Amino acid sequence: MARQAPSVDEIAKLGFQAVITNAYLIWRRWRDEALEKGVHGLLGFEGIVMTDSGAYQLLRYGHVDVSPDDIVEFQKRIGSDIAVILDVPTGTAGGYAEAKRNVLETLRRAREALRLIKGDRRVWTLPVQGGPYIDLVRLSAGESAKLSDYYRLYAIGSPTTLLERYSYAELVRIVAEAKLRLPLSHPVHLFGAGHPMMIPFAVALGVDMFDSASYILYARDNRYMTPSGTYRLEDMEYFPCSCPVCTKYTPKELMELPVHERVRLLALHNLYVLREEINRVKLAIREGRLWELLVERAHAHPSLKRALKVVIEYSGYIEKLDPRVKGGEVHGLFFYGIPEELERPEVRRHHERVVSWYKRPGGKETLILMPIDVDVKPFTSSTLYKQLKKSNSAAHIVGYVPPLGPIPEELAETYPLSQFEAPRDFTSEVIEATAKVIAEYIEKQGYKTITVYYDKGDWSERLTRILVELLKGKRIELRQVGGEDEAAEGNEGRD
């Protein structure tokens, strides 16, 4: 078999337990050897081997010299663990009509292949096509979902052109629309998503697996991967990475090596970066901080900022699948007070619950709203709360803080209402949105008496002024925290 740099052994030593190879290229070049040794023996790899069917070559060259049935049977005979039918990718050159024909042809082939894959124990993959045409993606995913008894893995195809153009926002929408229609019980693979910039966004929308030859293709072009972008090796003076390659060589030294060795080492670095990003995403999921990672990445590149805006459009879908309870290893949530935090799953869920589901305790018709000191959690342990509780035992005390909004005292210790970090100031957009949620809460609960405390000169005073305007017609007493007389202010005389 053709020599690869880096070798399969080197890839395995980096911690990758699965590889993907091209069944069509094996069929053309090493057919007899593959049939004799099997694909694992051919590659010298004992882990999971996924074989693609030749669709990429079909996209690039317009044809392949193998039938859909033959490539299915070939993958069975060489012992692929995960196999893919010969789908027809959606390109961008032929326009909508051709894209629709390709979607329908892929679905036809998927149904035709059932007679060959029924009862076969390997994981068969059905690619979802449609590319940039969202209605075709919906059609492809919806029809593909009907075959879930036979295809145990779905794949989202044809992203290569979008990735090359940094069209991450468009790709995020494709993934989201496909996931909305595919069964949640089946994992989803994203073909060609081999840049660390895309991985957190795809995972946030429910992608489980990735593949790409980008690590070696970039290396052959002297391109150096980082989580936030790609550099040309010849333009670099220092490496920002501490992997074994980057700690041993400088950019200049790497450029001076023979081409084959430079490509091998640069490809190893790119693989280190990919593995590191995957592990970073896993850790973020475990700690409940994937949203923070998306926001961090979004500020690294304009294309990712646009991608995050599309993710926000589907935040309702993400919220439904986000765990309601976080494990004991969660170290806290970080609300930076930026507009994107208003759409994170935990915040959306709290807003929905406190406005639509929550009912104030019986008999508590007096509301006291108090600002939460972001450094004191739960807020019921604060000095202000204890003072208010002592002098207003019959009142219902509700803390408030952006972006969470109202936090009833009896819920103060529940997740995530005391597991967050926040700045001491917030953007006007976050303050205004939080005030609207508090106003909705007050309208729903029907308190007879309302007193709002605020700290003069900070975010809580600005929020209070907005709240008073939103609740015109209600009698609200305003009190300054720490004021000498704490006299009533605000909307006296309002109707």
Side-chain angles (χ1 to χ4, degrees):
M1 186 160 182
R3 184 174 66 171
Q4 174 173 317
S7 68
V8 174
D9 284 341
E10 288 178 300
I11 293 173
K13 287 177 181 177
L14 282 176
F16 293 97
Q17 299 175 358
V19 297
I20 185 170
T21 188
N22 193 305
Y24 172 65
L25 294 182
I26 293 174
W27 181 84
R28 286 193 61 188
R29 300 173 184 175
W30 305 285
R31 190 182 322 175
D32 293 339
E33 188 179 355
L35 290 171
E36 178 187 347
K37 295 180 178 179
V39 70
H40 292 82
L42 185 70
L43 297 177
F45 185 71
E46 296 180 357
I48 298 169
V49 176
M50 180 177 183
T51 50
D52 198 1
S53 57
Y56 179 78
Q57 284 68 34
L58 186 60
L59 177 65
R60 287 297 185 190
Y61 308 117
H63 71 280
V64 290
D65 301 321
V66 67
S67 71
D69 285 1
D70 285 344
I71 202 66
V72 166
E73 289 291 355
F74 183 66
Q75 291 177 89
K76 290 165 66 175
R77 292 180 66 188
I78 64 176
S80 304
D81 299 301
I82 304 173
V84 186
I85 65 165
L86 184 56
D87 55 310
V88 186
T90 306
T92 56
Y96 182 87
E98 181 179 310
K100 186 171 184 178
R101 284 195 299 271
N102 293 347
V103 166
L104 296 177
E105 176 62 15
T106 294
L107 290 169
R108 188 194 69 79
R109 293 183 180 188
R111 298 183 186 106
E112 283 289 314
L114 295 182
R115 71 186 193 282
L116 302 176
I117 69 174
K118 282 182 180 178
D120 190 69
R121 299 188 65 181
R122 79 198 71 247
V123 175
W124 282 98
T125 307
L126 175 50
V128 173
Q129 295 295 344
Y133 307 105
I134 295 301
D135 63 322
L136 296 183
V137 173
R138 293 168 180 159
L139 169 66
S140 180
E143 291 300 310
S144 296
K146 298 175 183 179
L147 303 175
S148 61
D149 288 345
Y150 310 101
Y151 293 95
R152 294 160 57 194
L153 175 67
Y154 289 100
I156 298 173
S158 308
T160 306
T161 304
L162 298 176
L163 289 167
E164 289 172 350
R165 299 199 309 255
Y166 281 66
S167 299
Y168 295 126
E170 195 172 351
L171 183 53
V172 162
R173 190 176 302 282
I174 290 169
V175 172
E177 291 293 339
K179 280 290 298 184
L180 283 169
R181 289 157 182 84
L182 294 173
L184 294 176
S185 57
H186 286 46
V188 171
H189 182 97
L190 181 58
F191 279 126
H195 198 291
M197 294 171 68
M198 182 60 196
I199 289 174
F201 294 86
V203 171
L205 290 167
V207 171
D208 304 280
M209 298 166 54
F210 308 87
D211 80 88
S212 180
S214 62
Y215 72 95
I216 185 68
L217 297 177
Y218 279 32
R220 290 171 183 165
D221 195 33
N222 285 342
R223 286 188 283 173
Y224 177 97
M225 280 186 183
T226 74
S228 57
T230 307
Y231 295 90
R232 303 287 307 188
L233 187 60
E234 56 267 31
D235 296 333
M236 301 179 72
E237 292 188 27
Y238 305 97
F239 285 138
C241 171
S242 297
C243 77
V245 175
C246 296
T247 53
K248 186 175 180 180
Y249 298 93
T250 66
K252 182 179 179 181
E253 290 169 340
L254 211 55
M255 284 295 298
E256 292 173 349
L257 292 175
V259 174
H260 178 80
E261 182 64 6
R262 180 174 70 244
V263 169
R264 185 184 74 85
L265 291 171
L266 190 51
L268 281 173
H269 158 78
N270 290 341
L271 284 170
Y272 272 108
V273 172
L274 286 165
R275 188 191 67 172
E276 185 180 62
E277 188 66 8
I278 290 169
N279 288 342
R280 186 178 289 113
V281 170
K282 289 179 179 178
L283 182 61
I285 292 171
R286 188 167 183 81
E287 293 192 340
R289 293 176 173 171
L290 183 56
W291 194 268
E292 281 98 313
L293 184 58
L294 297 187
V295 172
E296 178 185 329
R297 290 288 181 266
H299 285 80
H301 197 282
S303 65
L304 296 181
K305 184 76 170 179
R306 293 190 291 271
L308 181 60
K309 289 182 178 180
V310 177
V311 172
I312 287 173
E313 293 180 32
Y314 296 92
S315 57
Y317 158 74
I318 296 173
E319 187 278 325
K320 291 178 181 178
L321 303 180
D322 189 67
R324 266 47 177 176
V325 178
K326 304 295 184 182
E329 297 184 16
V330 175
H331 300 290
L333 301 174
F334 290 84
F335 299 137
Y336 296 109
I338 58 178
E340 290 85 356
E341 295 296 345
L342 292 166
E343 299 297 334
R344 65 178 300 145
E346 297 92 337
V347 174
R348 284 180 61 97
R349 184 180 306 129
H350 174 64
H351 290 172
E352 180 182 357
R353 286 177 171 178
V354 80
V355 171
S356 302
W357 300 359
Y358 176 79
K359 292 184 179 180
R360 61 181 170 83
K364 298 279 188 177
E365 296 184 341
T366 296
L367 168 66
I368 295 179
L369 273 174
M370 58 162 280
I372 292 176
D373 184 338
V374 296
D375 293 328
V376 182
K377 296 181 288 290
F379 81 87
T380 49
S381 64
S382 68
T383 300
L384 176 60
Y385 173 81
K386 292 174 181 177
Q387 291 173 345
L388 293 174
K389 193 67 176 174
K390 184 176 180 180
S391 57
N392 302 273
S393 58
H396 188 210
I397 301 178
V398 175
Y400 66 94
V401 65
L404 286 167
I407 302 177
E409 58 186 326
E410 67 273 19
L411 302 180
E413 296 186 44
T414 60
Y415 177 84
L417 307 181
S418 64
Q419 295 85 6
F420 67 90
E421 299 293 337
R424 289 193 168 274
D425 202 1
F426 302 89
T427 66
S428 297
E429 183 177 347
V430 172
I431 290 173
E432 184 175 352
T434 304
K436 289 179 180 178
V437 174
I438 296 171
E440 288 181 51
Y441 167 82
I442 291 173
E443 293 281 9
K444 184 73 178 291
Q445 298 303 322
Y447 295 102
K448 291 184 176 179
T449 305
I450 302 169
T451 302
V452 180
Y453 282 80
Y454 66 92
D455 279 305
K456 190 169 182 61
D458 75 355
W459 62 267
S460 64
E461 182 176 15
R462 286 182 285 156
L463 188 151
T464 298
R465 301 303 178 193
I466 296 171
L467 185 62
V468 168
E469 289 300 314
L470 291 171
L471 294 173
K472 285 181 179 179
K474 288 189 179 295
R475 196 164 192 83
I476 303 174
E477 184 178 21
L478 304 184
R479 290 185 177 271
Q480 181 183 334
V481 175
E484 291 183 4
D485 54 7
E486 295 192 348
E489 307 178 1
N491 63 346
E492 294 177 337
R494 288 185 187 273
D495 295 326

